[in-house]
Amino acid sequence: KVEETPPAPIPVVEPAEKKTAPVVEAALPEEKSAVKQAPDKKPADVAPKFEGEDAEILSRAYATEEIRRRALKEQVKREIEEARKAMLDMEYIDSVKHYRIAQKYLTDSPDSADYRKECRQGIAEGYYRAALQEDRIGRRSRAKALMDKAVTHRHPKARRQLEAWEAADDPDA
């Protein structure tokens, strides 16, 4: 049961001088809605209204930039989906390529933080799995080069595996 409270009185601020100033009103308490907004959805940004002689040019430039950003977001999503698919198909080098392309198009906005993290981890994982795949085929030198890239990209298991391979290849051990 929702209790309704009477709206607070609206204060009016009088200007100190006799200039014509806008009246400031306090906001009324918001009513609780039964519909909740999804946490990952944000309200749409309102396009700024430009004034002056260049208003038309500025509004067109703004609209063009919005379209470009949306297209880049879609491209990032497609590249990440392709990278995931390549990873499942055991095409690890292709997966790394797709993650790199997606990483190139990502912005520094907080909205894309999860995608940036997935790209970083996906690149490291792709190099790691490609190295293991090359080792199974019998190409240890190629596997070491790929594992070194996985170490560079901070894969959690790559350094230990690379050290194990180097210890196994060391004739003095």
Side-chain angles (χ1 to χ4, degrees):
K1 184 175 180 182
V2 179
E3 296 180 18
E4 292 186 26
T5 58
I10 301 172
V12 177
V13 178
E14 299 281 331
E17 299 178 51
K18 297 204 173 201
K19 295 180 181 176
T20 57
V23 177
V24 178
E25 298 177 356
L28 295 176
E30 295 181 14
E31 295 179 14
K32 293 185 178 179
S33 172
V35 179
K36 292 184 180 178
Q37 189 173 4
D40 61 337
K41 298 285 184 178
K42 293 185 178 180
D45 292 335
V46 177
K49 294 182 180 177
F50 298 103
E51 296 178 3
E53 59 188 48
D54 295 335
E56 184 178 346
I57 294 170
L58 291 173
S59 64
R60 285 184 183 177
Y62 182 83
T64 302
E65 181 64 17
E66 285 295 311
I67 291 169
R68 186 187 73 80
R69 287 182 186 187
R70 275 190 245 130
L72 282 177
K73 283 181 184 178
E74 289 302 314
Q75 180 69 24
V76 165
K77 288 178 185 178
R78 279 194 303 270
E79 291 296 336
I80 287 177
E81 286 301 316
E82 287 293 320
R84 290 174 184 161
K85 184 176 180 284
M87 193 73 82
L88 289 175
D89 293 341
M90 296 184 350
E91 298 290 337
Y92 303 119
I93 298 300
D94 287 342
S95 176
V96 169
K97 288 177 185 175
H98 288 293
Y99 276 127
R100 282 198 182 279
I101 292 169
Q103 194 176 40
K104 178 180 152 185
Y105 292 137
L106 281 171
T107 61
D108 290 335
S109 71
D111 296 341
S112 61
D114 291 336
Y115 287 139
R116 282 194 310 273
K117 182 178 178 183
E118 182 179 349
C119 287
R120 277 193 315 269
Q121 291 175 345
I123 290 169
E125 186 70 23
Y127 281 133
Y128 178 76
R129 289 184 184 189
L132 294 177
Q133 191 177 50
E134 290 292 321
D135 185 56
R136 274 186 246 122
I137 295 172
R139 300 183 203 160
R140 179 63 61 97
S141 61
R142 172 87 173 125
K144 281 184 179 180
L146 289 169
M147 193 60 73
D148 189 44
K149 288 183 179 182
V151 169
T152 303
H153 289 281
R154 301 179 182 195
H155 189 279
K157 299 177 185 176
R159 184 174 304 281
R160 190 173 306 143
Q161 183 63 51
L162 184 60
E163 290 170 356
W165 284 345
E166 288 174 351
D169 290 345
D170 188 12
D172 295 333

